[in-house]
Amino acid sequence: MGFKCGLVGLPNVGKSTIFNALTALQVDASNYPFCTIEPNVGIVPLKDERLDKIGEIIGSAKVTPTTLEFIDIAGLVKGASKGEGLGNQFLNHIQGVDAIAHVVRCFKDENVAHTSSDFDAKNDLDVVLTELIMKDLEIVERRIAKLKQSIKSGDPKMKKQLEIVSEFERFLSQGKPLKEVELSIIAKEIIQEMNLLTIKPAIYIANVSEDKCDDETQAENLHQFGKKHGEPLVTISGKVQEEISQLDPESQKEFLDEWGLEELSLDKIIRAGYEVLNLITFFTANENEAHAWTIPAGTTVQKAAGKIHTDFEKGFIKAEVIKFNDLIAHGSETEVKHHGLMGVHGKDYIVEDGDLVFFRFNV
Ligand SMILES: Nc1nc2c(ncn2[C@@H]2O[C@H](COP(=O)(O)OP(=O)(O)O)[C@@H](O)[C@H]2O)c(=O)[nH]1
Ligand SMILES: [Mg+2]
């Protein structure tokens, strides 16, 4: 299944507005028959001009973009980890995502209630981050109690784990997210298995007013914060994006041209999610379909085959790979081959962003 990005933030910051705008970007549902979509889950296509070019050159009847899943996660308020608001429900939702998109309110609007009395975006973000830390602390403390129990009943393997998890506890109780801890490989495995929240990669979305002017310092504060972890900030006006998302693609393009913009802020969000998850895109194409696929950077070509079909992975023989730039430079698959630029690779080849892959496999 696809990669998931959860929209998280205090009430009335614009999560649902942004979610609606993102999901209005519409995916041709017939391409994704296997997805039962709940109202708060949306499958959003990743725009990629390379896919259209490949489709053109190969002469594919249709193109299918790769996608990212967005989830509108409601219910996080101050004290949520202690059961305030919708309480702990948000936890399961956040545990289920690969990346967190923190939506932070930077717009002023007297008609929209603000949960805190001060207008301070960084402070609002801190409230949310603290809840995540508290939640992790609770999970970690429960684990420690369990481990102590197992050690008592004579399970020595658990000692090492107890040491590591106690280290997590020390960090969290100092108010630090686990992504700031230098982790050994074994600690990473334990963190994965415990599905903790403060290790998840994040992006920050500053939801600013239409005219932006009084919010720049607010957004800048978020930007500086994100930079510490190498996490991107996207500045957006949720309301404007929602309006634009309702337009047909032609009018959307006119809007962008009029404002001299290359892409919608919504597309920036999708791309930021993609980047923070360290994902790359490869392509497959034949006369029926050109298809973009998402994999984590560093994936072998045999694993990548499994993304398309388990048979491709199991029966993998070899992969023929054309670099996107070579395809553009030479204008056709045949010309690329003719110039000796089609690579033939075994199962351990690491797929690169932009590879056009032809799989050869046994069934
Ligand atoms: N002025 C302004 N209002 C916004 C913006 N984004 C969202 N809102 C409004 O804020 C209110 C709460 O938004 P909503 O998306 O429901 O917030 P959520 O609770 O985080 O899901 C709604 O009335 C939105 O129309 C924005 O960029 N500017
Ligand atoms: Mg909402």
Side-chain angles (χ1 to χ4, degrees):
M1 274 305 286
F3 290 88
K4 299 190 178 78
C5 206
L7 295 163
V8 171
L10 295 175
N12 279 345
V13 296
K15 296 182 296 296
S16 300
T17 305
I18 293 170
F19 175 80
N20 291 338
L22 280 166
T23 47
L25 292 181
Q26 81 209 313
V27 179
D28 178 4
S30 63
N31 285 332
Y32 304 94
F34 45 84
C35 302
T36 335
I37 307 183
E38 295 184 30
N40 66 331
V41 180
I43 294 176
V44 179
L46 179 83
K47 277 221 179 83
D48 194 329
E49 286 179 354
R50 296 175 300 180
L51 176 65
D52 299 317
K53 295 228 169 85
I54 289 173
E56 255 169 54
I57 291 175
I58 304 288
S60 313
K62 66 169 181 175
V63 295
T64 306
T66 186
T67 57
L68 214 53
E69 231 173 87
F70 279 84
I71 302 163
D72 182 7
I73 301 178
L76 212 169
V77 296
K78 190 170 185 165
S81 60
K82 297 272 169 282
E84 291 292 327
L86 293 178
N88 277 327
Q89 268 179 36
F90 78 90
L91 167 71
N92 300 337
H93 287 122
I94 302 180
Q95 276 192 317
V97 302
D98 302 294
I100 298 175
H102 287 284
V103 182
V104 190
R105 177 164 168 176
C106 295
F107 68 86
K108 279 187 187 150
D109 188 336
E110 280 162 14
N111 300 317
V112 180
H114 197 290
T115 41
S116 49
S117 46
D118 301 325
F119 180 61
D120 183 341
K122 175 59 175 51
N123 197 43
D124 284 0
L125 176 64
D126 283 338
V127 170
V128 171
L129 296 175
T130 304
E131 290 305 320
L132 300 185
I133 289 172
M134 302 282 283
K135 202 61 233 183
D136 272 357
L137 193 56
E138 189 187 311
I139 299 172
V140 161
E141 280 168 351
R142 240 185 293 136
R143 175 63 64 95
I144 288 176
K146 246 199 199 152
L147 284 167
K148 283 187 172 155
Q149 207 59 42
S150 324
I151 290 167
K152 237 194 239 158
S153 56
D155 189 344
K157 270 200 311 237
M158 295 296 156
K159 267 203 168 144
K160 180 75 194 160
Q161 204 184 114
L162 179 62
E163 248 171 57
I164 292 170
V165 180
S166 305
E167 182 75 15
F168 296 167
E169 186 193 27
R170 267 194 296 284
F171 255 92
L172 290 163
S173 27
Q174 290 162 20
K176 290 184 189 156
L178 290 173
K179 64 176 79 164
E180 287 179 11
V181 189
E182 191 91 41
L183 294 171
S184 64
I185 290 173
I186 165 160
K188 271 188 197 149
E189 278 167 15
I190 295 172
I191 278 201
Q192 287 297 335
E193 174 260 315
M194 289 178 74
N195 200 357
L196 294 160
L197 306 181
T198 63
I199 196 75
K200 293 193 189 275
I203 65 170
Y204 303 89
I205 301 174
N207 189 9
V208 298
S209 309
E210 296 78 288
D211 56 15
K212 260 185 172 182
C213 50
D214 46 35
D215 314 316
E216 301 222 314
T217 357
Q218 303 281 346
E220 183 54 28
N221 289 342
L222 300 175
H223 177 62
Q224 290 306 328
F225 177 78
K227 246 166 90 174
K228 272 205 326 201
H229 300 122
E231 293 168 333
L233 171 84
V234 180
T235 304
I236 180 173
S237 167
K239 223 172 170 175
V240 173
Q241 293 294 312
E242 192 183 33
E243 284 162 18
I244 298 168
S245 70
Q246 311 296 329
L247 305 173
D248 56 71
E250 202 47 45
S251 316
Q252 282 182 15
K253 201 173 167 305
E254 273 168 30
F255 169 89
L256 291 178
D257 290 344
E258 196 175 313
W259 290 86
L261 302 171
E262 300 221 325
E263 60 180 353
L264 294 178
S265 308
L266 294 171
D267 289 320
K268 286 196 189 127
I269 295 179
I270 303 165
R271 221 160 14 81
Y274 210 72
E275 275 163 22
V276 85
L277 282 166
N278 205 11
L279 301 172
I280 61 167
T281 303
F282 74 93
F283 303 95
T284 53
N286 58 22
E287 63 281 9
N288 296 325
E289 185 181 31
H291 203 310
W293 306 89
T294 297
I295 46 171
T299 302
T300 64
V301 72
Q302 186 176 19
K303 267 258 163 293
K307 189 82 203 172
I308 302 163
H309 203 289
T310 43
D311 285 350
F312 279 34
E313 184 175 350
K314 275 195 221 128
F316 180 91
I317 302 170
K318 63 178 179 180
E320 294 165 350
V321 177
I322 293 180
K323 300 289 166 194
F324 174 76
N325 289 338
D326 290 339
L327 184 65
I328 296 301
H330 295 286
S332 78
E333 200 188 327
T334 327
E335 278 302 305
V336 171
K337 273 189 204 162
H338 191 69
H339 284 81
L341 292 170
M342 180 185 268
V344 180
H345 300 285
K347 62 182 169 53
D348 296 327
Y349 169 73
I350 303 290
V351 178
E352 291 176 8
D353 187 58
D355 280 355
L356 170 59
V357 186
F358 301 91
F359 291 100
R360 303 289 169 231
F361 62 97
N362 270 324
V363 271

